[in-house]
Amino acid sequence: MRAISMISDQLPSDCWPVQQIAELEQHLCQRAKCSPYQLMWRAGEALLALISQHYATTQHCLVLCGRGNNGGDGFVLAYLLRQAGVKTTVVEASLNRERPSEATQAHSIWQVGQQNPSLTPYDPWPTDIDLVVDALYGIGLRHAPQTEIQSLIDRVNTHRAPVVSVDIPSGLDAQTGQPLGRAIYASSTLTFITLKPGLLTGKGRDHTGKLYLADLGFGNWCSDLTAPIQCLTGQDLCTWLPQRAASAHKGDMGKVVLIGGAEGSAGAIRLSGEAALRSGAGLVRVLTHHSTIMPILAARPELMVAELTPESLNAALEWADVIAIGPGLGQSDWAKNALNQVKLSKKIMLWDADALNLLAIDPDKRQNRVLTPHPGEAARLLGISIAEVEADRLSAANRLVERFGGIAVLKGSGTIIADDSFSPAIAYVGNPGMATGGMGDVLTGVITAFIGQGLELSHAARAGVVAHGHAADLVAEDNGMRGMLALDVVDKLRISVNPLHDNDD
């Protein structure tokens, strides 16, 4: 096979809500004088390019085509594969609606010269299929697939061949990333023109596989538009983290105070403190329970550690550039008194872990704060279930900002960063190896350190999430995901927070 056009796994920053994409495509087609049918051919050519580059040994491809324009893309691909000499079989979904005119044209092109009829969803498949292309549903799906299509999706998910999904895995909500009933588990997904939120967050990352984008010739046009959502990747770290001035000293790099570590919880606050140091904070002071002082100092003598008392906290609040509270804090009177004292400060602050649980009990709203909840904490803050949080993560993050102010960092698969001043952002970094204790404590230290170094609050949250996830991806590259520890990520932070290091003269 010969690649017709190039596709990329270097994802752009632009991401558009699903409800705006039809208007976006219409606008782009008008500017570029490109018809919807020409757009369909470009999509088919991009799919052929992906297969040529990454599935070049394909001998027999099965293409599943729905009744919409997503299916039209599949018919164009099937025609191009046949022209390229690849044995191709099409399964036509018998949905109860007419095809759009562009998809009808593509179907007609496929049928010309085709000797074998298309299969129905119930027909047996050839035994030599070595690649499946999923062009059943596009981004317009709003409900669970019909029964016959759900059965077809099950067959795909249990087949041995790799699966390429067209634009989005069928059955997945393109806005939220939640499966609508059953959904395809793709090996790769080639999405078109722009990213969709559901590909980047929630369960969408389970179903998408390796994500590629083909701009279909609209890259320059899209760059002139302001996308409502940002996709953040490791490529963005250079923007936030420039090289330091040669004259920099520790006083310039932020005076950070971290508060937490109740009796028996030294590990959480130690991880936050060490992560802050590894992320470039100049001076890090830890206020903690008296029983945890020696364990923390023994592990990391560069930290300044003292007992948390009203007097020590008052002095630290005066000294600090930025305050973080919550890791290992607990919910005792000792913890509540500390949080109440912190509330009186006008300094920039970050609340995590038990500080969030206490906030859920006694809510307030302020703009000088970053909140970093996981879905369980977000559910308590919003008074809803975890399932409701995960059902629409973007909406949940925005609701946190509306209710509590400041910046909300909703952790999880495709962490969401939301605030009133910038477009919401989805961080396309990190991996399942991070599903272990202490990772959130590390993130607290990273974001706090970046605030201390002078990053604007929203930029510090974005940079912290990306550096944290990027460091975890480096750990996974070296040693795999299973068995990853929070301290492994802390060690890799030195690489992630120095993105220009390889370019030094």
Side-chain angles (χ1 to χ4, degrees):
M1 286 182 288
R2 179 178 61 87
I4 297 175
S5 61
M6 294 300 293
I7 51 91
S8 177
D9 62 351
Q10 299 296 307
L11 301 182
S13 61
D14 293 351
C15 180
W16 287 75
V18 170
Q19 61 269 26
Q20 297 183 31
I21 288 179
E23 183 180 351
L24 173 67
E25 290 183 359
Q26 184 179 20
H27 170 77
L28 293 171
C29 283
Q30 288 175 349
R31 290 186 66 181
K33 296 180 172 54
C34 173
S35 72
Y37 186 58
Q38 289 172 319
L39 199 64
M40 188 171 287
W41 272 89
R42 291 184 186 183
E45 291 172 346
L47 286 162
L48 181 62
L50 175 73
I51 294 170
S52 299
Q53 293 170 38
H54 300 284
Y55 302 94
T57 60
T58 298
Q59 300 290 312
H60 190 173
C61 184
L62 183 75
V63 184
L64 312 176
C65 295
R67 300 287 289 191
N69 283 337
N70 194 259
D73 297 339
F75 286 122
V76 172
L77 171 66
Y79 171 80
L80 293 173
L81 284 169
R82 186 177 66 195
Q83 295 298 104
V86 178
K87 186 177 180 182
T88 306
T89 298
V90 167
V91 176
E92 291 189 35
S94 54
L95 303 178
N96 297 322
R97 65 185 180 94
E98 294 296 320
R99 291 188 181 93
S101 59
E102 297 84 8
T104 299
Q105 287 180 269
H107 179 255
S108 298
I109 291 292
W110 158 250
Q111 285 186 313
V112 173
Q114 175 62 18
Q115 297 180 350
N116 298 318
S118 299
L119 303 180
T120 74
Y122 302 104
D123 289 332
W125 293 354
T127 58
D128 60 342
I129 296 296
D130 54 1
L131 180 67
V132 176
V133 174
D134 155 39
L136 290 170
Y137 289 108
I139 64 173
L141 186 67
R142 297 292 182 269
H143 51 75
Q146 295 181 11
T147 301
E148 70 172 25
I149 304 303
Q150 295 208 35
S151 298
L152 193 56
I153 289 172
D154 286 341
R155 288 174 70 182
V156 174
N157 287 339
T158 56
H159 198 274
R160 68 182 187 279
V163 180
V164 174
S165 281
V166 177
D167 209 17
I168 189 164
S170 292
L172 194 70
D173 188 309
Q175 179 65 23
T176 68
Q178 288 299 298
L180 299 167
R182 294 180 176 86
I184 294 285
Y185 283 97
S187 309
S188 303
T189 297
L190 178 61
T191 199
F192 302 127
I193 302 177
T194 186
L195 297 171
K196 292 84 185 176
L199 298 169
L200 307 176
T201 192
K203 296 290 185 183
R205 291 189 62 174
D206 291 336
H207 288 267
T208 300
K210 180 68 174 178
L211 180 59
Y212 299 90
L213 181 133
D215 65 22
L216 305 188
F218 294 137
N220 291 333
W221 301 106
C222 285
S223 64
D224 294 337
L225 304 173
T226 301
I229 303 169
Q230 285 185 294
C231 171
L232 308 177
T233 68
Q235 302 169 75
D236 296 306
L237 289 170
C238 292
T239 303
W240 299 307
L241 304 174
Q243 291 177 318
R244 287 182 170 179
S247 59
H249 61 84
K250 62 186 178 184
D252 296 331
M253 296 299 110
K255 293 179 286 187
V256 172
V257 170
L258 301 168
I259 304 160
E263 187 173 10
S265 299
I269 200 67
R270 178 260 167 116
L271 286 167
S272 295
E274 186 159 350
L277 289 171
R278 291 295 190 198
S279 300
L283 295 166
V284 181
R285 182 179 294 184
V286 173
L287 298 184
T288 187
H289 192 272
H290 66 83
S291 65
T292 69
I293 294 174
M294 291 310 297
I296 294 173
L297 281 174
R300 182 51 60 201
E302 294 89 345
L303 293 169
M304 299 180 289
V305 189
E307 182 180 358
L308 173 60
T309 66
E311 295 75 22
S312 67
L313 180 51
N314 186 61
L317 295 176
E318 288 291 325
W319 173 84
D321 295 319
V322 57
I323 304 144
I325 184 167
L329 184 68
Q331 299 184 45
S332 66
D333 288 342
W334 176 82
K336 293 175 183 177
N337 291 337
L339 187 60
N340 286 335
Q341 195 170 344
V342 167
K343 286 181 180 180
L344 300 175
S345 175
K346 303 297 184 183
K347 299 283 181 71
I348 296 173
M349 57 185 68
L350 182 150
W351 290 23
D352 185 33
D354 281 314
L356 299 174
N357 294 325
L358 293 172
L359 178 63
I361 297 169
D362 184 19
D364 70 354
K365 185 172 183 178
R366 59 179 66 208
Q367 299 303 324
N368 64 330
R369 179 175 59 191
V370 178
L371 304 179
T372 57
H374 58 55
E377 292 159 346
R380 287 189 284 276
L381 288 166
L382 295 173
I384 59 178
S385 69
I386 295 174
E388 288 173 296
V389 171
E390 292 289 70
D392 192 341
R393 289 170 51 78
L394 269 167
S395 176
N398 287 328
R399 288 174 62 189
L400 287 168
V401 173
E402 291 171 6
R403 184 169 298 185
F404 299 99
I407 314 291
V409 175
L410 178 56
K411 296 181 286 195
S413 177
T415 292
I416 309 289
I417 305 99
D419 66 89
D420 285 334
S421 303
F422 291 83
S423 302
I426 306 175
Y428 197 69
V429 290
N431 60 77
M434 301 173 75
T436 187
M439 291 293 177
D441 304 316
V442 173
L443 179 61
T444 291
V446 180
I447 295 176
T448 307
F450 288 164
I451 296 171
Q453 291 168 74
L455 271 71
E456 185 177 343
L457 202 57
S458 183
H459 291 166
R462 285 162 163 72
V465 169
V466 174
H468 181 242
H470 182 264
D473 288 340
L474 294 177
V475 175
E477 288 175 13
D478 288 348
N479 301 305
M481 298 180 194
R482 190 172 282 112
M484 185 185 301
L485 301 179
L487 275 177
D488 297 335
V489 175
V490 172
D491 287 341
K492 290 294 187 183
L493 280 171
R494 282 177 291 182
I495 298 173
S496 299
V497 303
N498 290 289
L500 300 176
H501 180 77
D502 289 341
N503 297 324
D504 289 349
D505 291 334

